[in-house]
Amino acid sequence: MASDRSGAGDPARTLALLWGVTAQEKPGRRGPRQAKSPAEIAAAAIAIADAEGVEAVTMRRVAQELGVSPMALYTYVPGKAELLDLMLDTVFAAVPRSAPVDGGWRARATAVADDNRALYRAHPWMAAVATSRPPLGPGLMAKYEYELGALEGTGLPDVELDAALTHLLGFVETCARMASDERAARQDSAMTDAQWWAANAELLARVFDAGRYPVAARVGSAAGEAHGGAYSPDHAYAFGLARVLDGLAVLIEECREG
């Protein structure tokens, strides 16, 4: 379960930070010139999260990386919640945009899914952040506009268009989270999945009764042999994406016929 979530900070201060809105100065008064930009702060925080996970990102740690005091950092960013939204929106702004102009909606939707998968691979910590209330910054809005274009023109009504995109991206997020779990298990055990199963094969053979679970034994063996372990992130993604697109194809056809 995600321990961090977007949209947890003060909405007004978060939106001001993301969109670069500053309070108007009073006549005759000037505040101190800011030495750090939101982009520099976001880059420092993202670098920490990429290397050590989002839990390692604290205001104190980011301030240390930037060479400023923790109190000084609060003059740029209100707090950790707003910092997280700034990180996410910065990452969203940099999402790859590889959807082909031609090739049909399925090719465009595949590109959107692949783009998001690449984003999770570059920033694994994103899979640990709940985004039910996403940061409504320029990065997210540009990403949303681009991704909607993959399904624009299919005949889906606007509500279904949004739901179809949410369904597609939810699938990618789930795959990213499972892939992150698989990497964590591999690192914790210092073994690949195949090595772990090989090391425990004798124990499993003693406790598992194939006669009692014949279908599980047959299917599990076939999948394990095909994937070199109990789970293959690449196969799960390719198989699942095809099924998601198949389902959307049915919905699109129904809308066109209706």
Side-chain angles (χ1 to χ4, degrees):
M1 183 175 181
S3 57
D4 290 281
R5 65 180 180 87
S6 62
D10 178 82
R13 300 179 76 180
T14 298
L15 290 175
L17 174 66
L18 298 183
W19 289 93
V21 178
T22 57
Q24 291 186 343
E25 296 175 351
K26 295 182 179 181
R29 297 185 62 183
R30 288 182 176 273
R33 184 179 69 84
Q34 291 199 332
K36 301 297 179 183
S37 68
E40 291 175 301
I41 296 169
I46 291 169
I48 295 170
D50 287 348
E52 304 174 38
V54 70
E55 64 278 359
V57 178
T58 64
M59 296 293 282
R60 179 175 296 277
R61 176 69 184 281
V62 175
Q64 180 182 0
E65 294 295 323
L66 291 170
V68 301
S69 70
M71 290 305 298
L73 187 61
Y74 283 100
T75 66
Y76 305 113
V77 180
K80 171 68 181 292
E82 291 83 3
L83 174 61
L84 182 60
D85 282 350
L86 178 62
M87 293 166 61
L88 286 170
D89 201 64
T90 300
V91 169
F92 290 153
V95 68
R97 287 166 169 77
S98 62
V101 176
D102 300 317
W105 71 265
R106 193 166 182 129
R108 295 194 300 270
T110 298
V112 165
D114 290 346
D115 291 343
N116 277 273
R117 190 184 189 210
L119 195 67
Y120 281 111
R121 282 180 164 176
H123 308 289
W125 55 271
M126 290 180 58
V129 179
T131 55
S132 58
R133 290 184 177 177
L136 299 179
L140 174 65
M141 296 311 298
K143 180 177 182 286
Y144 185 50
E145 180 76 14
Y146 157 69
E147 292 168 344
L148 287 172
L151 299 171
E152 178 78 336
T154 58
L156 290 176
D158 287 350
V159 174
E160 281 73 12
L161 181 62
D162 175 78
L165 177 61
T166 299
H167 180 55
L168 176 65
L169 298 185
F171 161 74
V172 178
E173 181 181 356
T174 297
C175 284
R177 188 170 294 120
M178 293 180 70
S180 178
D181 291 343
E182 191 271 340
R183 285 193 301 271
R186 186 169 65 244
Q187 292 171 354
D188 291 345
S189 65
M191 295 180 182
T192 65
D193 209 23
Q195 289 170 334
W196 188 91
W197 282 101
N200 292 279
E202 183 178 345
L203 173 61
L204 181 61
R206 290 203 303 267
V207 299
F208 181 71
D209 183 359
R212 186 176 182 183
Y213 309 103
V215 179
R218 187 190 78 240
V219 174
S221 295
E225 184 176 350
H227 306 321
Y231 177 72
S232 167
D234 290 339
H235 180 269
Y237 176 77
F239 179 87
L241 178 59
R243 304 294 78 76
V244 169
L245 297 180
D246 288 345
L248 293 181
V250 173
L251 176 64
I252 290 170
E253 186 63 27
E254 289 176 350
C255 289
R256 287 175 176 172
E257 292 177 349

